[in-house]
Amino acid sequence: MRRRTGAIGTLIALAAIVPSADTAHAQDLDCPDFTFQEEAQAVLNTDPSDPNRLDEDDDGIACEALPRRGAPVISSTSRPRGSATPTAVTPTGGVRGGLGGGSGSGPSGWDTGIGLAFVAGGVLAAGIVVRRRRG
């Protein structure tokens, strides 16, 4: 009886380890990961398929809301020179404007199946423990 329990425990441990042995995925980069637009553009240029969603509006320009190198930096506490009235820049497009964002996909069917297998294994193990204690 103890051998069977040990074997079941080993199988459950293996089932818990095997899904995490998947290949490593490259780090997902979003626009806040970059300081300047040119840095994000260089990443987009290396892979035009845009797996990081740096160019959400598909115009070929990555992270349009980021500042550009060499562009004058305007402090939020001072008025820009040469302008009588301050101009407000309102970001538009959100994720569509190249600001990154969450993934639109959820867990795959494989992930859901593994999760359900763990739940079923837990229920089965709990049932075995309860049955042993009662009888």
Side-chain angles (χ1 to χ4, degrees):
M1 188 60 96
R2 289 182 184 237
R3 286 184 182 171
R4 188 172 14 169
T5 305
I8 290 174
T10 303
L11 287 174
I12 290 174
L14 285 174
I17 292 171
V18 170
S20 65
D22 195 8
T23 58
H25 296 285
Q27 179 182 4
D28 182 39
L29 298 171
D30 293 322
C31 290
D33 296 326
F34 301 99
T35 305
F36 295 103
Q37 188 273 335
E38 289 82 1
E39 296 168 350
Q41 189 68 43
V43 171
L44 177 64
N45 291 343
T46 60
D47 188 357
S49 68
D50 195 19
N52 296 308
R53 301 171 312 280
L54 298 175
D55 179 20
E56 290 291 333
D57 58 356
D58 295 323
D59 64 352
I61 302 171
C63 302
E64 298 170 44
L66 289 176
R68 296 181 179 269
R69 290 188 194 273
V73 177
I74 299 173
S75 170
S76 61
T77 59
S78 65
R79 178 182 285 178
R81 294 185 188 146
S83 175
T85 59
T87 56
V89 177
T90 305
T92 59
V95 171
R96 294 183 155 266
L99 298 175
S103 173
S105 64
S108 68
W110 179 250
D111 294 335
T112 304
I114 290 173
L116 289 174
F118 281 129
V119 170
V123 169
L124 179 65
I128 290 171
V129 168
V130 168
R131 184 175 166 198
R132 282 188 178 180
R133 291 192 178 170
R134 287 188 182 172

